[in-house]
Amino acid sequence: MCGNLLVIISIIYFKQLHTPTNYLILSLAVADLLVGVVVLPFSTILVVTSCWYLKDLLCMLRSSFDIFLSVASILNLCSISVDRYYAVCQPLSYRTKMNVRVIVVMILLSWTISAQIGIGITIQGLNEGQSNGCVLFQQTRRTIIGVFFAFYLPAIIMSSIYLKVYIVAQRQARSIQNITGQSKKSKAAVSKSERKATKTLAVVMGVFLLCWTPFFLCITFYHLSTYPIPIPLIETLKWLGLSNSMLNPLVYCFFYRWFR
């Protein structure tokens, strides 16, 4: 909560941070902050005690906000990868293609799709008679479809984009080396640039996949397999996924020198 709040205040306060890219980071920070403010208190209470007042209502709200805000965070990460693709791969047309209007549309789409997935899965569970809203996900026919659009599709898009960005960044670094000559200093600079690009992309994708992949694989196998998966294991994997909202400020903001 503190890290994401610091990101939000910094972007709003400093005018030099008012850029289209940072609007996406601001949207990501808002989603991650709401995960800490709204989702984690419900999850913590659920772990500590099973005796709630208005349990059915609170469990339904918890399920809806859990899915909604988690998916919003993931889709904002996907939008940031699209922005980085145009910034690195098409730098000359970047300012015209990724202007403020386009960024606002991407942010609105991320939040709208997330709300539809979160509310839709919860309502579908109620319609099918699943009154236990305190499960981490509703066992509906649409759950697999929701998981595909909430995680697998964004993960495929992000992986493909960042792989393309890495290849283009390497090509650009070698072109600079050819232009500046084959001196030891230029070779060292290019090698450092390539290592930094590799490290950045590895951290960005590594943190995301490490946090969310176990949980969504667990959900997938839960619906496709006949073997039961212990609820405590699913809870643990869900908390690992939610920890991505804590790590995002470190990866997407404090990782960059200009933002620090």
Side-chain angles (χ1 to χ4, degrees), residues 166 193-206 255:
Y166 172 69
S193 176
E194 290 182 350
R195 288 197 304 269
K196 184 177 180 180
T198 304
K199 179 181 177 181
T200 301
L201 298 180
V203 169
V204 167
M205 281 305 303
F255 195 81

Side-chain angles (χ1 to χ4, degrees), residues 138-230:
Q138 299 290 350
Q139 301 176 32
T140 70
R141 294 186 299 271
R142 298 184 181 182
T143 300
I144 296 298
I145 299 176
V147 167
F148 174 78
F149 285 103
F151 174 72
Y152 290 113
L153 183 60
I156 293 172
I157 293 174
M158 289 176 62
S159 300
S160 302
I161 287 176
Y162 282 130
L163 178 61
K164 177 67 174 179
V165 168
Y166 172 69
I167 294 174
V168 172
Q170 276 197 326
R171 189 183 305 147
Q172 291 175 350
R174 288 166 184 166
S175 298
I176 294 173
Q177 179 180 354
N178 293 333
I179 293 173
T180 57
Q182 300 294 326
S183 65
K184 292 183 178 181
K185 184 179 293 187
S186 65
K187 289 182 179 179
V190 171
S191 177
K192 182 179 179 180
S193 176
E194 290 182 350
R195 288 197 304 269
K196 184 177 180 180
T198 304
K199 179 181 177 181
T200 301
L201 298 180
V203 169
V204 167
M205 281 305 303
V207 169
F208 170 72
L209 294 176
L210 180 64
C211 290
W212 279 116
T213 301
F215 174 70
F216 282 103
L217 285 178
C218 186
I219 293 180
T220 304
F221 287 127
Y222 186 90
H223 287 275
L224 299 179
S225 175
T226 57
Y227 297 98
I229 299 178

Side-chain angles (χ1 to χ4, degrees), residues 11-168:
I11 294 177
I12 293 176
Y13 181 78
F14 293 104
K15 292 184 178 180
Q16 57 266 44
L17 295 180
H18 293 180
T19 63
T21 299
N22 286 336
Y23 293 150
L24 289 173
I25 295 179
L26 176 63
S27 177
L28 173 66
V30 171
D32 291 335
L33 176 64
L34 291 177
V35 168
V37 173
V38 178
V39 177
L40 290 182
F42 282 111
S43 299
T44 304
I45 294 173
L46 182 61
V47 171
V48 173
T49 178
S50 60
C51 182
W52 292 17
Y53 294 103
L54 303 174
K55 182 176 180 179
D56 291 339
L57 175 61
L58 292 177
C59 286
M60 184 180 68
L61 291 175
R62 183 248 189 178
S63 177
S64 297
F65 280 109
D66 191 342
I67 300 172
F68 167 40
L69 295 175
S70 298
V71 175
S73 178
I74 293 174
L75 293 185
N76 276 295
L77 293 176
C78 189
S79 298
I80 292 174
S81 69
V82 174
D83 175 79
R84 291 298 84 203
Y85 169 80
Y86 281 102
V88 175
C89 300
Q90 300 184 22
L92 298 180
S93 60
Y94 170 72
R95 293 187 179 276
T96 57
K97 289 186 176 181
M98 301 301 293
N99 51 45
V100 175
R101 184 175 61 182
V102 174
I103 294 297
V104 170
V105 171
M106 293 173 64
I107 292 174
L108 291 177
L109 283 176
S110 298
W111 286 91
T112 302
I113 294 173
S114 304
Q116 290 178 341
I117 293 176
I119 297 174
I121 292 178
T122 303
I123 293 178
Q124 183 68 16
L126 295 176
N127 292 337
E128 295 185 4
Q130 298 181 23
S131 59
N132 183 16
C134 277
V135 296
L136 289 169
F137 53 90
Q138 299 290 350
Q139 301 176 32
T140 70
R141 294 186 299 271
R142 298 184 181 182
T143 300
I144 296 298
I145 299 176
V147 167
F148 174 78
F149 285 103
F151 174 72
Y152 290 113
L153 183 60
I156 293 172
I157 293 174
M158 289 176 62
S159 300
S160 302
I161 287 176
Y162 282 130
L163 178 61
K164 177 67 174 179
V165 168
Y166 172 69
I167 294 174
V168 172

